Amino acid sequence: MIQLQNYINGKMCPPAGGTYIDNVNPATGEVYAHIPDSGIDDVNNAVLAAQAAFDKWSNMAAKKRSDILLRIASLIEQNLQQLAEAESLDNGKPVWLAKQIDIPRAASNFHFYATGILHFASEAHAIEGTAINYTLRQPIGVVGCISPWNLPLYLFTWKIAPALAAGNCVVAKPSEITPYTAFLLSELCIEAGLPAGVLNIVHGTGPNVGAAIAAHPNIPVISFTGGTKTGAEISRVAAPMFKKLSLELGGKNPNIIFADCNLTHAIETSVKSSFSNQGEICLCGSRIFIERSIYDKFKNAFVEKIKQLKTGDPNDENNFLGAIVSKMHYEKILSYIDLAKQEGGTILCGGNAIHPEGRCANGYFIVPTVIEGLAYNCRTNTEEIFGPVVTLIPFDTEEEAIMQANSTVYGLAAILWTDNLQRAHRVATKLHSGIVWINCWLLRDLRTPFGGVKNSGIGREGGFEALKFFTEEKNVCIKF
Ligand code: NDP
């Protein structure tokens, strides 16, 4: 049985209370690891270690910090296979997917910010003949990073890399459901020579470790990715302490298909934007709005393709979908499929769990599910399901498509298919979302601002936005 440890003050250590939580492999339903059930004492120890490390780390030349982060990036690359297998074991996603997406992106996050910090500059404002103002952007201190289970190492490093590059020390918590790659990362940080206390990883539950980070008086900055409800709770705790917050929350993204689009391309990409990573990507398009004149054509071709997708053992590279991350989430998704039926939806394909033969017979697998016949504003079409379930909704006019697309409390990403350039620009400006992909999906440039509007969050990650977030601005005015 694998036993994970916390990473505090440069060392692997057991939780202060000595207790552990079972960690389940969702593809088999079996416990395969124990993870520290840490609490407030561990978070306090991590904060003390981070505070002690801050002076040296924040005053280290950016080039030197950059070199250490680049070493971490290349160690992630060197350990691609082991990390991909660990990610799959923990999360249920296919190993091929973790190898193609999750782990390379984790390495890129470190590469990107290790080099980005060398180009980070600030503004100067001259008052002609009188004075000059310049803006200092200084590291803040100890920052808290809390991340979810869907893209575990990918999203964990998306926060940690810019925080460290900017000169902060970090207390981080991965999801207790998928902690394995964060644990392996701590070993790589030691190997890369990251000074003790600069990064501390505390494993445990949200209500224990996550809440202790959110409430800690000596953690003035929190970067959080996860559900909207948890984001609201963190805001409630952090706001009276005037903490700086970045919240990347849930979504219910529209995928709008206009009749004037390249349909073949739209269908091929919509398969991926609907069901990649079992639909457990905050950027997946789960509501597909289709112009009525091509509704049947899209539906028939799309459903035909979905029926061909294989679901099962994450180790089998023929499977497009692996297991759902946990029993609880699996039951939640199935309950939404039941709700869709109660709300009058018709299941066009999927709609059920499967139990593959062999080692995965007790795993949590759901077949990709396509539903039609639901009102755009019913619960199935407005609440986040975060699984392999999409709905098809016809529309008649551009205005109607925009109105329906904007009709949820979320606003993370939107996808739009059209070959009409004017329409593309026009609709993009009217969609309530932080990200719009036109004729593509998940085409990422790490320099761009990333984040949502409405209940999908506040603040932006990515590019210099993240370096700005993880630094404090100070204006200095010198009179001539
Ligand atoms: P949760 O909100 O349940 O958990 C996210 C993290 O917060 C986990 O590490 C969790 O710990 C921790 N946590 C739970 N309770 C608290 C608390 N009271 N205080 C502090 N931390 C806490 O989200 P999920 O892990 O279920 O992730 C899925 C959600 O994340 C979806 O809504 C999805 O849309 C969203 N998401 C958003 C993205 C974006 O960029 N906007 C990207 C990816 C996902 P533990 O798991 O140990 O309980």
Side-chain angles (χ1 to χ4, degrees):
M1 186 72 60
I2 299 165
Q3 181 139 316
L4 308 192
Q5 302 289 8
N6 289 331
Y7 172 50
I8 297 176
N9 205 17
K11 296 190 188 71
M12 309 307 294
C13 49
T19 53
Y20 288 80
I21 314 167
D22 286 346
N23 191 17
V24 173
N25 173 356
T28 63
E30 284 161 14
V31 175
Y32 80 93
H34 293 138
I35 74 158
D37 186 9
S38 311
I40 201 156
D41 291 341
D42 303 281
V43 172
N44 283 338
N45 290 339
V47 173
L48 288 174
Q51 284 178 312
F54 178 67
D55 192 39
K56 206 164 163 200
W57 181 249
S58 58
N59 285 305
M60 189 183 273
K63 171 71 172 72
K64 224 170 152 193
R65 284 203 302 269
S66 169
D67 288 344
I68 296 172
L69 300 181
L70 285 173
R71 280 206 291 279
I72 298 174
S74 61
L75 283 168
I76 293 174
E77 280 162 355
Q78 286 164 36
N79 289 277
L80 172 68
Q81 185 66 30
Q82 186 202 8
L83 289 165
E85 283 170 13
E87 204 70 295
S88 167
L89 190 65
D90 233 4
N91 170 278
K93 69 180 70 204
V95 175
W96 66 260
L97 184 74
K99 228 171 139 178
Q100 259 180 39
I101 307 282
D102 296 69
I103 310 305
R105 173 60 192 274
S108 297
N109 290 340
F110 273 105
H111 265 293
F112 182 83
Y113 282 107
T115 50
I117 194 64
L118 304 177
H119 303 268
F120 189 45
S122 65
E123 307 83 17
H125 301 89
I127 308 172
E128 292 79 1
T130 311
I132 186 156
N133 294 277
Y134 63 88
T135 309
L136 283 175
R137 291 191 195 279
Q138 297 174 299
I140 303 171
V142 182
V143 309
C145 297
I146 303 174
S147 59
W149 48 255
N150 64 323
L151 299 167
L153 193 64
Y154 175 134
L155 290 175
F156 195 61
T157 53
W158 183 229
K159 301 184 174 306
I160 289 169
L164 295 177
N168 300 286
C169 293
V170 173
V171 175
K173 183 197 118 52
S175 169
E176 105 216 23
I177 301 167
T178 54
Y180 195 13
T181 48
F183 165 75
L184 296 173
L185 177 71
S186 30
E187 295 183 331
L188 300 182
C189 289
I190 295 172
E191 198 180 332
L194 187 71
V198 168
L199 170 63
N200 304 275
I201 301 176
V202 185
H203 295 278
T205 66
N208 288 337
V209 178
I213 291 174
H216 203 291
N218 295 330
I219 303 183
V221 181
I222 309 276
S223 173
F224 170 80
T225 299
T228 294
K229 216 170 133 203
T230 316
E233 169 62 12
I234 290 175
S235 297
R236 191 189 63 75
V237 172
M241 290 186 252
F242 306 104
K243 293 192 181 204
K244 202 173 180 186
L245 288 182
S246 164
L247 303 173
E248 299 292 341
L249 310 176
K252 185 78 178 174
N253 308 311
N255 177 9
I256 309 172
I257 323 274
F258 285 100
D260 57 17
C261 75
N262 177 331
L263 196 58
T264 309
H265 193 189
I267 290 169
E268 271 167 18
T269 307
S270 295
V271 171
K272 293 183 190 147
S273 66
S274 302
F275 297 113
S276 292
N277 204 47
Q278 299 72 245
E280 296 165 335
I281 301 182
C282 52
L283 305 165
C284 279
S286 54
R287 297 175 295 148
I288 309 184
F289 296 96
I290 307 142
E291 195 161 351
R292 200 177 298 277
S293 59
I294 57 158
Y295 183 83
D296 285 337
K297 203 168 165 196
F298 178 92
K299 174 175 98 173
N300 295 337
F302 181 69
V303 168
E304 209 39 57
K305 280 201 180 291
I306 303 309
K307 282 181 178 164
Q308 286 162 24
L309 297 180
K310 292 198 165 76
T311 305
D313 193 335
N315 292 343
D316 181 344
E317 57 185 40
N318 295 312
N319 289 326
F320 187 77
L321 290 88
I324 299 301
V325 71
S326 66
K327 186 162 191 283
M328 208 168 96
H329 194 54
Y330 161 87
E331 283 166 356
K332 176 185 157 187
I333 296 167
L334 290 175
S335 78
Y336 268 103
I337 296 173
D338 280 344
L339 174 71
K341 289 182 202 158
Q342 285 163 31
E343 288 186 314
T346 303
I347 310 283
L348 298 173
C349 65
N352 58 289
I354 53 159
H355 300 282
E357 278 181 17
R359 75 174 196 108
C360 293
N362 295 320
Y364 316 129
F365 296 88
I366 297 177
V367 182
T369 300
V370 182
I371 305 171
E372 71 169 352
L374 288 166
Y376 75 93
N377 56 357
C378 69
R379 280 185 57 204
T380 310
N381 272 333
T382 52
E383 295 178 13
E384 187 181 40
I385 301 175
F386 211 52
V389 180
V390 297
T391 56
L392 307 186
I393 307 157
F395 68 86
D396 292 300
T397 64
E398 188 179 300
E399 291 68 33
E400 189 190 10
I402 294 167
M403 182 278 288
Q404 295 188 354
N406 287 339
S407 65
T408 75
V409 295
Y410 297 108
L412 185 55
I415 313 160
L416 171 56
W417 293 92
T418 176
D419 273 357
N420 177 332
L421 189 62
Q422 288 181 341
R423 166 176 276 157
H425 291 303
R426 190 169 57 236
V427 177
T429 60
K430 290 182 181 166
L431 290 169
H432 300 164
S433 66
I435 301 156
V436 179
W437 275 294
I438 300 174
N439 298 334
C440 61
W441 176 68
L442 209 53
L443 186 55
R444 292 284 290 120
D445 178 332
L446 301 189
R447 294 169 300 178
T448 58
F450 179 92
V453 300
K454 302 199 285 188
N455 290 13
S456 290
I458 49 170
R460 291 293 179 271
E461 297 187 311
F464 290 140
E465 298 293 327
L467 294 177
K468 285 182 187 164
F469 174 75
F470 285 118
T471 50
E472 197 73 85
E473 290 154 331
K474 181 187 287 172
N475 187 66
V476 181
C477 179
I478 318 174
K479 194 168 182 301
F480 295 151

